[in-house]
């Protein structure tokens, strides 16, 4: 469900009425469309309470509407802007961490109302809009990995000309304007969702979780027709399901990374004399270091003499040449 | 072009600042005390360079010149880079600036006189050749018609024949240059056109870069080429062969002063940004590993093979071996 957050009840009033929301407690309302939470001004209250709401209810996205001041004089009063990057002024310093949403105008959350020109001029290089709480909302949503959208209605210009209006008297108008914006957006989103198609592809065999994780990554890269051909070919082979998946992974890897496949094949060839004579050959996993580790199980004199012969035959120089890139593909 | 122009108050009325202001388009002009009170102080997403790019005009404080890392340029010489600009108007998907500064905004430093003083101090202590590279944190030519600083650097070059300046670029904006010099090198980063189209976003096409190279070569400029970053694809060999043929028609490859070759590589910071900013880039096609030196790149056999392959191709154009070097590959 969606959670709608407003700083003041006055800003939320049209939403509460039109969504037919009923109070769950002092600051929280519920409707068929989701929850409405009145978080009050500043970042501290919302940072304390929002987490517990997200813990308790199955919230899939958070939508913030609120009034805000324009730092940039080119913004228009009574227009709603969707918020992009969110910055914070904290103890008169600018917080390094910012949070970015899908909007188009930046907003800075100030630690106090911006009532003079010097405060305004300090914030203007950073953002065009100033509010008092969005950074706190965004921080909690980020921690909970929940999608956030924020829309700010410009009520006045920040700085010396700040309009210290009485929110009680003007709130109804602002709330109506934000509701109109919300409705227009909802209609647009419904149309977009209807036209979206979901595509997925199922592998017909059961594998381990590890195999599934590898396949998930690879399948994002491989062409679907190519994948179908591989699956069809492998299906005809008389193998256990997990072996089929291993073979599929190998085929996809070889197709996606032909040079890597050739490098591995060359390394295998160069060390064949060792693996044929009982050694387990281990390369540096990242193929960065020119070294191999050899494991050998000895249970007869023959093992030892085979191993000595194999080591004598092993040509380290040729192995080294692969790491120097001296081969052709 | 710029959203906000932010200028340090102290330099607002200088000739250099006013000359820059006259040449750029912007929405708002804001006076600030110091650029570093804002730039890099908070994280501004890199891709906002597309629709919300700001310009700072400032004086660089602190280090104006730095020594380059090992395996940077032609070996045997001393190499420094000088810092006159941060960030770039282009948008190459591999650009390391996206993980370096915490902002894509462009900073133009106007105290070139102080940079040149530092360079002079180094020259006064050296009898040998010393390289000064521009373009470590920006493109050296892209905004040069706006910054117009070359007169000062030319005077320094003329006074110090052992000082070599490299202007590294992808730009065809050569009109601010003031003529060829023995100790001035214009170096172009090049890739096959398909790669330029796919990942060197907003940069001039190969055709345009080659024609700029040809023009400069005809005018007697010394030209260097950076075949960097090389990004592997299935037709890599054919693509590079074709592309080197094209380069050879713009300038005989054997006439190029030096060619560096390097495969695509990232520091972990840059890699994280690249994945976030360009999740569908062709750069993610091939597998990369974290290697020695904390760089994320192709594994050693693969990158050495790529470098050797290109190196061999270059030798077929009869370029002297000592003119070709592998970048960041010791
Ligand atoms: S031209 Fe250079 S500095 Fe500019 S975006 Fe490309 S790689 Fe970065």
């Amino acid at each position: 469900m969606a959670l709608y957050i407003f700083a003041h009840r006055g800003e939320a009033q049209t939403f509460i009425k039109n969504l037919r929301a009923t109070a769950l407690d002092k600051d929280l309302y519920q409707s068929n469309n989701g929850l409405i939470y009145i978080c009050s001004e500043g970042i501290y209250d919302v940072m304390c309470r929002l987490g517990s709401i997200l813990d308790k209810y199955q919230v899939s996205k958070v939508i913030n509407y609120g009034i805000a001041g324009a730092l940039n004089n080119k913004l228009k009063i009574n227009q709603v802007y969707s918020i992009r990057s969110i910055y914070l002024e904290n103890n008169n310093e600018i917080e390094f961490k910012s949070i970015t949403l899908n909007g188009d105008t930046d907003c800075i959350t100030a630690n106090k109302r911006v009532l003079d020109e010097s405060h305004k001029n300090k914030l203007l290089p950073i953002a065009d809009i100033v509010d008092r709480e969005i950074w706190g909302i965004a921080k909690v949503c980020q921690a909970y990995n929940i999608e956030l959208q924020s829309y700010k209605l410009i009520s006045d210009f920040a700085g010396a000309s700040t309009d210290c209006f009485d929110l009680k008297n003007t709130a109804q108008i602002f709330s109506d304007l934000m509701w109109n914006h919300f409705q227009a957006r909802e209609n647009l989103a419904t149309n977009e969702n209807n036209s979206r198609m979901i595509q997925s592809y199922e592998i017909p065999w059961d594998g381990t979780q590890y195999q599934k994780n590898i396949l998930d990554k690879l399948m994002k890269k491989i062409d679907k027709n190519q994948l179908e051909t591989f699956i069809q070919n492998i299906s005809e082979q008389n193998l256990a399901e997990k072996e089929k998946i291993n073979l599929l992974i190998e085929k996809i890897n070889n197709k996606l990374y032909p040079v890597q496949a050739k490098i591995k094949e060359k390394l295998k060839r160069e060390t064949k004399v060792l693996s044929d004579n009982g050694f387990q050959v281990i390369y540096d996993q990242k193929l960065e270091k020119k070294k191999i580790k050899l494991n050998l199980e000895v249970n007869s004199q023959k093992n030892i003499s085979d191993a000595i012969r194999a080591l004598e035959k092993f040509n380290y120089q040729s192995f080294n040449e692969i790491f120097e890139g001296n081969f052709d593909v | 072009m710029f959203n906000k122009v932010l200028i340090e108050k102290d330099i607002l009325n200088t000739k250099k600042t006013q000359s820059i202001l006259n040449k750029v388009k912007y929405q708002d002009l804001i006076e600030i005390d110091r650029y570093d009170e804002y730039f890099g102080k908070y994280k501004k997403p890199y891709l906002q360079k597309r629709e919300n790019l700001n310009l700072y005009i400032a004086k660089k404080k602190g280090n104006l010149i730095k020594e380059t890392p090992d395996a940077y340029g032609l070996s045997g010489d001393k190499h420094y880079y000088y810092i006159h600009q941060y960030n770039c108007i282009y948008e190459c998907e591999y650009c390391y600036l996206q993980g370096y500064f915490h902002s894509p905004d462009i900073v133009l430093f106007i105290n070139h006189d102080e940079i040149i003083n530092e360079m002079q101090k180094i020259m006064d202590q050296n009898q040998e050749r010393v390289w000064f590279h521009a373009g470590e944190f920006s493109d050296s030519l892209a905004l040069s018609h706006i910054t117009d600083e070359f007169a000062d650097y030319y005077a320094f070059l003329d006074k110090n024949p052992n000082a070599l300046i490299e202007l590294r670029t992808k730009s065809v904006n050569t009109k601010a240059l003031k003529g060829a010099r023995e100790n001035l090198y214009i170096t172009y980063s090049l890739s096959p056109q398909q790669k330029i189209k796919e990942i060197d976003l907003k940069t001039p096409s190969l055709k345009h870069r080659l024609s700029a190279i040809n023009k400069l070569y005809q005018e007697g400029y010394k030209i260097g080429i950076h075949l960097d970053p090389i990004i592997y694809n299935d037709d890599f060999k054919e693509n590079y062969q074709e592309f080197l043929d094209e380069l050879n028609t713009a300038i005989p490859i054997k006439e190029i002063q030096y060619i560096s070759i390097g495969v695509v590589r990232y520091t972990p910071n840059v890699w994280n940004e690249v994945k976030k900013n360009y999740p569908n880039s062709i750069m993610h096609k091939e597998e990369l590993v974290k290697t020695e030196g904390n760089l994320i790149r192709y594994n050693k056999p693969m990158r050495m093979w790529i470098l050797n392959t290109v190196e061999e191709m270059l030798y077929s154009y009869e370029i002297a071996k000592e003119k070709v070097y592998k970048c960041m590959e010791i």
Side-chain angles (χ1 to χ4, degrees), chain B residues 26-191:
Chain B
Y26 54 88
Q27 308 251 2
D28 298 299
L29 191 151
I30 301 171
E31 287 178 42
I32 52 172
D33 288 329
R34 285 176 63 124
Y35 85 98
D36 51 5
E37 284 174 359
Y38 292 99
F39 181 80
K41 276 283 183 300
Y42 53 89
K43 178 104 181 121
K44 178 171 173 178
Y46 182 73
L47 289 186
Q48 278 188 29
K49 72 191 294 181
R50 291 177 181 172
E51 78 276 359
N52 178 26
L53 185 66
N54 293 339
L55 170 69
Y56 289 85
I57 305 177
K59 264 177 103 164
K60 172 94 174 77
K61 284 117 196 153
N63 280 349
L64 305 175
I65 292 185
K66 287 188 180 166
E67 255 183 273
T68 63
D70 290 343
Y72 189 90
L74 285 174
S75 60
D77 293 329
K78 278 196 174 154
H79 294 265
Y80 295 86
Y81 54 82
Y82 62 93
I83 304 162
H84 66 300
Q85 189 179 321
Y86 286 158
N87 284 326
C88 182
I89 53 168
Y90 300 139
E91 196 195 315
C92 307
E93 292 185 352
Y94 47 80
C95 181
Y96 91 103
L97 296 175
Q98 62 195 299
Y100 194 84
F101 300 117
H102 300 295
S103 166
D105 290 341
I106 290 179
V107 186
L108 300 179
F109 296 114
I110 60 160
N111 48 331
H112 296 284
D113 50 340
E114 291 175 6
I115 295 173
I116 290 167
N117 280 346
E118 290 300 307
M119 288 160 67
Q120 188 60 55
K121 275 186 209 160
I122 292 172
M123 290 317 295
D124 291 344
Q125 289 159 12
N126 277 285
Q127 306 303 317
E128 336 256 272
R129 300 198 326 169
V130 180
W131 285 88
F132 296 97
H133 303 270
E136 182 67 12
F137 297 115
S138 58
D139 186 284
S140 303
L141 291 184
L143 292 177
S144 58
H145 60 301
I146 291 169
T147 52
D148 205 13
E149 74 272 23
F150 289 137
D152 297 342
Y153 290 92
Y154 268 75
F156 167 77
L157 284 174
D158 291 343
K159 187 176 164 197
N160 299 279
N162 276 343
L164 312 174
I165 286 187
E166 179 197 37
L167 300 177
R168 190 167 177 162
T169 192
K170 287 181 180 129
S171 172
V172 298
N173 180 20
T174 58
K175 58 178 178 268
L177 290 169
K178 302 195 179 308
R181 290 290 186 280
E182 269 305 295
N183 47 352
L184 174 65
Y185 292 73
I186 315 295
T187 67
Y188 273 84
S189 301
L190 299 177
S191 304

Side-chain angles (χ1 to χ4, degrees), chain A residues 72 74 84-85 87 94-98 100 106 121-128 221 253 255-260 263-264 267 285-290 322-329, chain B residues 3-4 6 26-28 30-32 37-38 40-45 48 51-52 54 56 102 232 234 237 284-287 289-292 297-305 308-309:
Chain A
N72 189 328
K74 289 184 181 137
R84 181 175 54 196
S85 287
Y87 302 101
I94 307 303
E95 171 73 28
F96 175 73
K97 284 188 184 145
S98 63
T100 296
D106 298 339
N121 289 340
K122 183 184 160 201
L123 304 183
L124 178 58
I126 304 166
D128 286 345
K221 297 185 170 184
N253 263 324
K255 179 73 193 165
L256 289 177
Y257 312 119
V259 181
Q260 297 298 342
I263 290 170
K264 282 182 187 146
L267 286 169
Q285 283 239 331
K286 293 176 178 169
L287 293 187
E288 190 59 22
K289 299 202 169 87
K290 300 178 208 170
I322 298 172
F323 282 81
E324 290 303 325
N326 294 328
F327 55 84
D328 198 20
V329 173
Chain B
N3 185 17
K4 293 171 180 158
L6 303 112
Y26 54 88
Q27 308 251 2
D28 298 299
I30 301 171
E31 287 178 42
I32 52 172
E37 284 174 359
Y38 292 99
K41 276 283 183 300
Y42 53 89
K43 178 104 181 121
K44 178 171 173 178
Q48 278 188 29
E51 78 276 359
N52 178 26
N54 293 339
Y56 289 85
H102 300 295
Y232 177 80
D234 291 346
K237 276 198 205 171
H284 304 308
K285 191 181 170 294
E286 201 63 32
E287 266 188 326
V289 289
K290 197 170 187 178
T291 65
E292 275 171 8
R297 49 187 170 170
Y298 302 134
N299 62 35
K300 191 163 176 89
M302 171 122 179
R303 59 179 197 269
M304 293 309 286
W305 170 72
N308 292 347
T309 306

Side-chain angles (χ1 to χ4, degrees), chain A residues 55-266:
Chain A
D55 279 334
K56 189 166 173 189
Y57 301 95
Q58 299 272 314
V59 174
S60 56
K61 70 175 167 186
V62 172
I63 300 172
N64 163 244
Y65 269 94
I67 59 168
L71 291 163
N72 189 328
N73 294 341
K74 289 184 181 137
L75 265 49
K76 293 200 176 91
I77 301 286
N78 286 346
Q79 186 156 322
V80 176
Y81 293 86
S82 64
I83 297 305
R84 181 175 54 196
S85 287
I86 299 166
Y87 302 101
L88 174 71
E89 182 198 33
N90 198 11
N91 286 333
N92 295 325
E93 295 281 319
I94 307 303
E95 171 73 28
F96 175 73
K97 284 188 184 145
S98 63
I99 299 161
T100 296
L101 315 179
N102 275 334
D104 49 34
T105 310
D106 298 339
C107 179
I108 182 160
T109 298
N111 50 5
K112 58 179 193 248
R113 289 193 180 184
V114 179
L115 301 173
D116 58 68
E117 288 303 293
S118 83
H119 193 188
K120 176 195 145 179
N121 289 340
K122 183 184 160 201
L123 304 183
L124 178 58
I126 304 166
D128 286 345
I129 295 178
V130 59
D131 90 326
R132 299 271 294 113
E133 51 281 319
I134 184 58
W135 197 88
I137 298 171
K139 193 74 189 150
V140 178
C141 289
Q142 191 182 50
Y144 279 77
N145 203 11
I146 288 180
E147 182 199 336
L148 168 67
Q149 299 165 13
S150 174
Y151 303 94
K152 297 291 180 191
L153 179 131
I154 301 302
S155 58
D156 61 344
F157 292 105
S161 60
T162 287
D163 186 0
C164 289
F165 49 80
D166 179 0
L167 185 60
K168 271 197 185 126
N169 291 330
T170 42
Q172 181 67 60
I173 301 165
F174 291 148
S175 192
D176 286 350
L177 286 170
M178 291 191 281
W179 171 259
N180 292 345
H181 180 271
F182 167 72
Q183 275 209 308
R185 255 198 51 254
E186 284 292 288
N187 291 341
L188 200 72
T190 315
N191 293 342
E192 273 177 10
N193 278 341
N194 290 344
S195 62
R196 207 170 285 155
M197 270 175 52
I198 298 163
Q199 280 191 350
S200 69
Y201 200 91
E202 285 291 318
I203 298 294
W205 313 301
D206 230 9
T208 63
Q209 192 53 44
Y210 178 68
Q211 288 177 315
K212 278 182 192 153
N213 292 345
I214 297 178
L215 266 181
D216 275 352
K217 275 192 197 159
L218 292 175
M219 277 167 58
K220 284 184 194 136
K221 297 185 170 184
I222 191 89
D223 172 75
K224 292 285 167 286
N225 292 334
Q226 180 70 71
L227 182 66
E228 273 181 63
T229 316
F230 284 156
I231 291 176
Q232 212 172 356
N233 290 344
I234 296 171
S235 295
E236 287 156 13
Q237 299 191 32
N238 191 13
L239 293 168
E241 294 209 338
K242 288 192 180 68
E243 286 171 325
K244 284 183 177 170
I245 294 187
N246 275 341
L247 189 57
L248 179 63
I249 290 172
E250 190 183 319
K251 278 183 183 285
I252 299 177
N253 263 324
N254 288 351
K255 179 73 193 165
L256 289 177
Y257 312 119
V259 181
Q260 297 298 342
K262 283 189 180 137
I263 290 170
K264 282 182 187 146
E265 192 189 299
K266 280 175 198 302

